[in-house]
Amino acid sequence: MMSQQLRRHRSSSLRTSSFSMIYNHLLRTSTSYCCHLLLFLVIISSSFLHTDIVVNASPTIKDKHHLTAIAELKRLVPPPIKQIGGSTEVDAINDDAYYARFLSVNEWDPIKTEPSIRQSIEWRKRVQPHKLRPRHCPTLCRQYAWLALTTGPGSKMILNDNNDQLHDATNNKNKKQSPLDPPYNCPPLQSWRTTKHGLPITYFRCWKWKPELASSKESETHLAYHIHHLLRRIPNNRKRDISRICVIFDMRDFETYMLPHIHKCINILRCQYPGRAGAMCFINVPIYFTTVWKIISPWLDDEIRSKVFFAERGVDDVEKAVGFLNGRKLKTGLF
């Protein structure tokens, strides 16, 4: 017994001695080195905070009609045996909420919903949004047209056009290529920006967008990556259902040749991610956009169309647009 106590005492003394040696070493180290070490530790810890797992309160589905519809749709279209993206995936197919979102835009009719959810599952198997990274769509990720807004040190720099590389930098071997954007993980010391309601924000800059430079496959890949990126940016919230997204469309330099590309974007949002639109805010629209909207509007379903906002003329930049949306009541979840 005495021997065990003696060993524990020696072990404790050894640990104390080790800590003392480390402490004295740090005291002898220059202040500059300590500051760099501290900054490094902060950056590393910050990186670990941004993972691909988003934990939100699932929508509470109490309506018996809704529960019956979900059960029937799952019978008609069973979830894949092997979960696409894993059980912690933000858009998990085996989740009741996934089935509920498709039902919600089809009058909760399982028969009517069956074809759309079946094709969506096949689309996810083919595209695999959860596996996409910026390197899979480099042409469009270097344009800085679809920005994932952040807060924190350096978060405003991305909005400065002078810091952007030209979108055709890949054609000049002597020119340094700009980093791919948006990055998969949040930059160190920053956090993803949301509206006051909790909706993650993407800022679309029309004058930067050159969809014709990318292949059709890359366009689809880029949009799938970005929508999935938005879903990953939904803040953790165990108390309420936050499952929708926000996009601010700055339509400066819009050209009509973009319409087929816009149609493709709308189709992916409408067919693959129903019930995800929380706010689609348009600013700086050209005078003739009223005519253009008559073309675009029929491409939207009622669910998306009800989330569209046209800001008044005074709302001419992204900060004012965020303030404009913060002053409105937005739907954040399924119900």
Side-chain angles (χ1 to χ4, degrees):
M1 189 68 166
M2 291 292 294
S3 177
Q4 290 179 353
Q5 291 178 346
L6 182 60
R7 281 198 298 270
R8 282 198 294 266
H9 175 72
R10 286 177 178 174
S11 177
S12 176
S13 299
L14 181 59
R15 287 197 299 269
T16 303
S17 175
S18 299
F19 288 136
S20 298
M21 289 174 62
I22 295 172
Y23 177 73
N24 290 332
H25 173 72
L26 289 175
L27 286 180
R28 290 194 300 269
T29 307
S30 67
T31 304
S32 176
Y33 175 82
C34 290
C35 289
H36 282 88
L37 178 61
L38 179 61
L39 180 60
F40 172 76
L41 292 174
V42 170
I43 290 174
I44 291 297
S45 62
S46 175
S47 299
F48 282 118
L49 291 176
H50 303 287
T51 66
D52 195 21
I53 300 173
V54 176
V55 181
N56 277 302
S58 297
T60 303
I61 304 174
K62 298 181 179 179
D63 188 286
K64 290 183 178 180
H65 170 65
H66 293 168
L67 292 172
T68 302
I70 292 171
E72 176 61 14
L73 185 56
K74 279 191 168 184
R75 187 190 67 80
L76 294 171
V77 188
I81 296 176
K82 184 179 180 181
Q83 172 59 38
I84 302 173
S87 59
T88 58
E89 182 57 37
V90 297
D91 201 34
I93 293 176
N94 61 356
D95 189 351
D96 280 359
Y98 179 82
Y99 283 78
R101 277 190 282 272
F102 279 86
L103 285 163
S104 69
V105 297
N106 287 286
E107 301 173 339
W108 293 90
D109 184 341
I111 303 299
K112 184 178 178 181
T113 308
E114 179 186 357
S116 60
I117 197 168
R118 192 180 293 279
Q119 69 79 28
S120 185
I121 291 175
E122 292 304 315
W123 180 84
R124 279 167 169 75
K125 289 179 180 178
R126 176 176 63 84
V127 178
Q128 296 188 306
H130 64 284
K131 291 186 177 180
L132 297 178
R133 300 295 185 271
R135 66 178 180 273
H136 297 125
C137 38
T139 302
L140 293 170
C141 281
R142 283 199 174 94
Q143 292 181 2
Y144 291 75
W146 301 81
L147 302 181
L149 294 191
T150 61
T151 60
S155 59
K156 305 297 183 184
M157 291 180 62
I158 193 70
L159 300 175
N160 186 354
D161 284 355
N162 295 328
N163 292 331
D164 296 346
Q165 301 289 337
L166 293 178
H167 63 265
D168 59 351
T170 53
N171 297 328
N172 189 344
K173 295 182 180 179
N174 297 323
K175 189 168 185 176
K176 183 180 179 181
Q177 291 185 354
S178 53
L180 300 177
D181 187 86
Y184 185 75
N185 290 314
C186 192
L189 305 181
Q190 296 183 14
S191 57
W192 300 121
R193 189 172 182 182
T194 68
T195 67
K196 74 171 187 179
H197 321 80
L199 306 184
I201 307 170
T202 279
Y203 176 40
F204 170 72
R205 304 190 294 180
C206 193
W207 69 95
K208 289 285 185 181
W209 193 38
K210 309 295 179 184
E212 73 280 7
L213 297 181
S215 66
S216 177
K217 184 178 185 299
E218 181 174 340
S219 295
E220 180 185 45
T221 299
H222 179 258
L223 195 63
Y225 167 68
H226 204 95
I227 294 179
H228 194 79
H229 196 282
L230 268 162
L231 299 182
R232 288 176 53 244
R233 285 188 266 143
I234 294 175
N236 295 351
N237 195 316
R238 296 178 182 274
K239 295 182 178 180
R240 61 188 179 120
D241 172 29
I242 301 178
S243 56
R244 294 179 180 266
I245 61 178
C246 169
V247 182
I248 296 172
F249 295 92
D250 193 330
M251 301 304 290
R252 281 176 282 178
D253 292 344
F254 167 80
E255 297 185 42
T256 53
Y257 84 86
M258 297 175 176
L259 281 173
H261 302 283
I262 292 175
H263 192 190
K264 186 172 184 177
C265 294
I266 290 172
N267 275 342
I268 291 179
L269 177 63
R270 183 174 58 85
C271 297
Q272 314 306 339
Y273 297 95
R276 290 296 195 177
M280 306 282 116
C281 180
F282 288 81
I283 64 174
N284 296 318
V285 296
I287 297 175
Y288 61 86
F289 198 76
T290 302
T291 303
V292 174
W293 182 248
K294 291 179 181 179
I295 300 173
I296 296 176
S297 183
W299 298 341
L300 309 176
D301 55 30
D302 291 338
E303 209 276 337
I304 297 177
R305 200 178 296 112
S306 66
K307 309 300 185 299
V308 173
F309 300 89
F310 287 94
E312 54 263 22
R313 284 290 171 185
V315 180
D316 54 6
D317 63 35
V318 65
E319 292 300 327
K320 293 177 182 177
V322 173
F324 170 82
L325 291 172
N326 283 342
R328 275 147 184 79
K329 186 177 181 180
L330 303 180
K331 192 173 182 178
T332 62
L334 180 60
F335 300 106

